[in-house]
Amino acid sequence: MTWKSATMRQYLFRSQQRGVPVPVASWDGRSNLYTEAQLKERLVAWALVAGLDPAEARA
């Protein structure tokens, strides 16, 4: 992602407050790594909490 780490932390924190599950990341000693499947699942969960159609959120 092109976000700075502070931006990503803020989005993850807000997601947790809103009840969107945050995937468990792999730590490589420098960065948290997420699989494509984990990010897609999170996007669907976020869309449902936001009241959006998950199919449209993937576009």
Side-chain angles (χ1 to χ4, degrees), residues 9-29:
R9 279 193 302 273
Q10 185 64 29
Y11 276 98
L12 289 175
F13 178 71
R14 288 179 186 166
S15 292
Q16 289 174 327
Q17 287 180 321
R18 295 175 181 155
V20 177
V22 177
V24 176
S26 297
W27 176 253
D28 70 354

Side-chain angles (χ1 to χ4, degrees), residues 2 4 8 11 14 17 22 34 40 43 48 50-51 56:
T2 58
K4 292 182 180 178
M8 186 65 182
Y11 276 98
R14 288 179 186 166
Q17 287 180 321
V22 177
Y34 299 96
K40 285 182 177 180
L43 181 59
L48 291 172
E56 292 179 16

